[in-house]
Amino acid sequence: MRTEQEIVDSRIVMRSLCGALALSGAAAMVYRLHPVAVGRTPFDYWLLVSMIGALHAVCLFGHVALRGRLPSFMARAGDPAGN
């Protein structure tokens, strides 16, 4: 059985990792969009699709990092969000 301190430590690590993933995803989006904004790369359909997917992932990881649980729409019926 895990002690309360181990549970707290694992939650801190999980929130830190999710925060790092959210920040790196946001940086990757900027890195990908910068050549399009400058005009060196043409805009294409797959850029739009990948940006929508990346934005969704950044929002989910950011929410977990800030709140410590998944958004309420991600929870299963009958379970509290994130448990």
Side-chain angles (χ1 to χ4, degrees):
M1 182 181 272
R2 296 168 81 180
T3 65
E4 288 184 31
Q5 187 61 39
E6 289 175 338
I7 293 171
V8 170
D9 291 343
S10 65
R11 287 183 181 172
I12 290 172
V13 169
M14 182 192 67
R15 289 176 79 168
S16 299
L17 288 175
C18 287
L21 284 171
L23 287 175
S24 64
M29 287 173 41
V30 170
Y31 179 76
R32 179 97 160 118
L33 286 176
H34 183 264
V36 175
V38 173
R40 287 185 286 177
T41 305
F43 182 80
D44 62 343
Y45 172 74
W46 290 111
L47 177 68
L48 178 64
V49 171
S50 67
M51 287 300 112
I52 290 171
L55 183 63
H56 180 71
V58 166
C59 289
L60 284 179
F61 283 121
H63 191 276
V64 172
L66 294 174
R67 304 277 170 116
R69 58 185 172 88
L70 287 173
S72 60
F73 68 87
M74 298 287 294
R76 290 182 285 177
D79 285 343
N83 292 331

